[in-house]
Amino acid sequence: MSTEASLFPIHFFDSEIFCKKCAQIRKFKIFSQEKYDKTYGKSEIPPNSPLFCRCEECSDAAIYATNEFAQLQEEPTLGLCKIWGMSNLEAGDMVFHPVEKLCAVDGVNRISGSLPQITLINQNKEKIEIQLDVQTFGEQNADAFYRLFPQNSKDARIGDQIYHIKTGLTGKVVGLEFNGGQTVIIKFENGDVEKYYCEYPIYYLTDDVLELNAKWRCRDLPYSQNLQIYSRSKVLHVNCLAPNFNVVCELNKIISSIPQIRCFIMRIILEKSNISPIEIYKELIRNGIYICCCDVELKNQDVYITGFYSVKDTPKNIYRVLQKFPVKKVDLNIRMHSDIKTIKTINESDCFIKISKMGKNVHIDGWVKSEKEKRKAKLKAFFCSFSLRIENHLWVIS
Ligand SMILES: [Zn+2]
């Protein structure tokens, strides 16, 4: 496995994409760095996040960003239009008419026994009434939206249905290329696969310019001599030997602010990494951050924290406290719970015990030195609360 592939551990979905090496459309496996739920909550999939896409046939890989797939968008038809005579029209739709060009549908008057009378508003705000003369589309096409080509090609995403206004052919976007300029690869309904070069309305920044810009923005950072930055197809690759989480956050902020990059891939090597989850947990307690039913895990220098909190700024404070630690990522799966009541806190040099009530259950969080003390704490919790629903999350550290 290449080092790049190892940064994308999660198989996200499969897609038909044009493979440059095979020179034809292939099935690709798509991998992500974070776990996303594709069928639910698309608004939670951030744009401009890198996806590692590998051809099933030749293993050649390409990087695409999350916003470059139509199927990952919350509203995939936003900005697209229907084509006159090819799909059902409703008031409010945008429609491309062969003579009137791009229009908005103002009204649809359905007269029984004949085809509907459509009122359109063209780009000059003129109202036009036209009788729909053909209605050849099938059921599956009734709600089809298209991206117009070539005028609307620049923002094309993989999976977009397209309509070529000169040839009248429909097709589907199967690939994007960003070398020196932007190219869209389309598979047409007649089977042809064609590449279209997009005219850019603004100055198109090349890899060299993006690279220079990124290096310039990082030039004064104290660790800039440990930084390696290069751009491939408008994807910035950043390799860094970093001392702590603070540097990771700082670099993320700088790199993501660079205009016109599609996404970036960060490869961080930490200078030293001999920390344990309990050290992180203790640091949170020292800073007055209390999480009920808390668990802290460390995997490949990524921190995972789960539990419940009642103080509003807790997530922000966790990020702040962990800045000095040698970690690459802080993954918080903590939820606000307004009904957490502290029953008793014991804060001594060799232990920290917090007994609290959340809903109907009593939780014991903190750390002790032995299994015996852990059992004793449960007894203590019982006498404080007279509850039998006690969950003991104490860490035993020797
Ligand atoms: Zn291939």
Side-chain angles (χ1 to χ4, degrees):
M1 190 161 57
S2 74
T3 48
E4 194 159 73
S6 68
L7 294 171
F8 297 84
I10 298 152
H11 177 226
F12 189 6
F13 62 102
D14 295 339
S15 182
E16 303 261 294
I17 301 177
F18 184 82
C19 175
K20 223 173 158 180
K21 202 168 162 191
C22 297
Q24 55 182 295
I25 296 161
R26 296 290 197 197
K27 191 177 167 196
F28 273 64
K29 281 216 171 306
I30 309 212
F31 299 87
S32 60
Q33 295 185 303
E34 313 273 335
K35 197 167 170 50
Y36 307 120
D37 191 339
K38 188 161 72 76
T39 50
Y40 174 76
K42 281 177 189 168
S43 59
E44 282 165 29
I45 302 174
N48 304 102
S49 288
L51 296 170
F52 185 82
C53 311
R54 196 183 60 215
C55 173
E56 290 256 84
E57 200 68 32
C58 73
S59 295
D60 201 36
I63 301 290
Y64 281 105
T66 41
N67 50 299
E68 290 165 356
F69 283 96
Q71 60 170 312
L72 300 183
Q73 309 314 309
E74 181 103 306
E75 290 184 73
T77 60
L78 201 74
L80 307 189
C81 66
K82 291 179 173 175
I83 308 297
W84 184 263
M86 281 170 58
S87 31
N88 254 333
L89 297 177
E90 303 288 344
D93 283 344
M94 292 302 289
V95 62
F96 183 79
H97 186 276
V99 178
E100 307 299 337
K101 308 302 174 199
L102 193 62
C103 296
V105 178
D106 192 44
V108 179
N109 187 9
R110 291 195 166 83
I111 313 145
S112 67
S114 64
L115 287 163
Q117 183 87 18
I118 314 276
T119 312
L120 299 177
I121 299 176
N122 70 10
Q123 304 284 18
N124 301 326
K125 305 250 183 318
E126 295 157 348
K127 277 198 181 187
I128 303 146
E129 297 224 346
I130 314 177
Q131 178 96 42
L132 199 63
D133 46 2
V134 280
Q135 200 161 13
T136 53
F137 51 92
E139 267 300 302
Q140 80 275 21
N141 248 355
D143 229 3
F145 285 83
Y146 297 86
R147 178 177 295 284
L148 295 182
F149 258 67
Q151 64 263 53
N152 203 2
S153 56
K154 187 179 68 64
D155 301 318
R157 304 157 302 189
I158 292 171
D160 272 347
Q161 303 260 46
I162 69 111
Y163 178 79
H164 199 292
I165 58 158
K166 287 182 189 129
T167 61
L169 287 173
T170 59
K172 202 174 155 187
V173 177
V174 290
L176 304 166
E177 283 174 10
F178 298 87
N179 288 319
Q182 190 183 332
T183 309
V184 180
I185 306 160
I186 300 159
K187 185 185 183 190
F188 284 100
E189 56 187 322
N190 61 10
D192 288 353
V193 176
E194 280 184 47
K195 288 191 179 191
Y196 278 91
Y197 181 79
C198 306
E199 295 292 334
Y200 235 65
I202 46 167
Y203 186 59
Y204 187 92
L205 301 179
T206 60
D207 282 332
D208 287 346
V209 176
L210 293 180
E211 207 172 291
L212 274 176
N213 191 353
K215 283 179 179 164
W216 187 80
R217 285 180 198 225
C218 294
R219 74 197 185 285
D220 290 333
L221 299 175
Y223 46 88
S224 63
Q225 72 280 5
N226 298 330
L227 254 179
Q228 194 196 358
I229 302 173
Y230 59 92
S231 179
R232 296 280 180 276
S233 301
K234 305 195 103 177
V235 177
L236 275 181
H237 297 252
V238 180
N239 299 333
C240 184
L241 181 67
N244 53 35
F245 187 53
N246 179 38
V247 168
V248 180
C249 294
E250 193 173 32
L251 262 181
N252 263 292
K253 217 163 136 188
I254 295 172
I255 300 297
S256 59
S257 72
I258 292 170
Q260 277 202 31
I261 64 162
R262 296 165 55 214
C263 56
F264 63 91
I265 300 170
M266 194 89 84
R267 192 180 290 119
I268 302 280
I269 297 165
L270 290 163
E271 279 171 7
K272 61 172 184 344
S273 53
N274 49 345
I275 47 155
S276 64
I278 185 68
E279 274 177 73
I280 290 170
Y281 183 72
K282 279 183 170 179
E283 188 64 20
L284 296 180
I285 300 288
R286 264 197 289 275
N287 284 275
I289 297 169
Y290 172 62
I291 301 164
C292 184
C293 198
C294 183
D295 190 34
V296 179
E297 268 187 80
L298 253 178
K299 267 186 234 156
N300 304 321
Q301 299 166 327
D302 294 343
V303 181
Y304 299 84
I305 299 175
T306 55
F308 298 89
Y309 64 95
S310 56
V311 179
K312 199 176 127 252
D313 284 336
T314 300
K316 215 168 80 189
N317 288 334
I318 294 176
Y319 285 117
R320 181 179 49 78
V321 165
L322 297 187
Q323 291 288 312
K324 64 179 181 190
F325 280 97
V327 295
K328 288 178 187 173
K329 195 174 89 180
V330 175
D331 192 321
L332 296 184
N333 184 15
I334 57 174
R335 271 179 293 163
M336 180 98 175
H337 197 296
S338 54
D339 188 26
I340 301 176
K341 285 189 193 80
T342 301
I343 298 172
K344 195 178 179 72
T345 308
I346 301 162
N347 195 355
E348 284 162 10
S349 64
D350 59 348
C351 74
F352 176 88
I353 300 169
K354 185 141 188 144
I355 301 165
S356 47
K357 198 166 184 212
M358 183 171 68
K360 283 179 179 160
N361 290 0
V362 172
H363 295 266
I364 313 172
D365 282 281
W367 78 86
V368 289
K369 289 277 180 185
S370 68
E371 285 292 337
K372 195 179 159 196
E373 282 172 45
K374 185 173 175 173
R375 284 194 298 275
K376 267 167 71 184
K378 190 168 182 179
L379 213 60
K380 209 170 273 170
F382 172 73
F383 284 115
C384 292
S385 65
F386 292 105
S387 168
L388 289 171
R389 304 171 68 152
I390 298 171
E391 291 183 29
N392 195 344
H393 313 289
L394 285 174
W395 303 61
V396 177
I397 48 170
S398 44

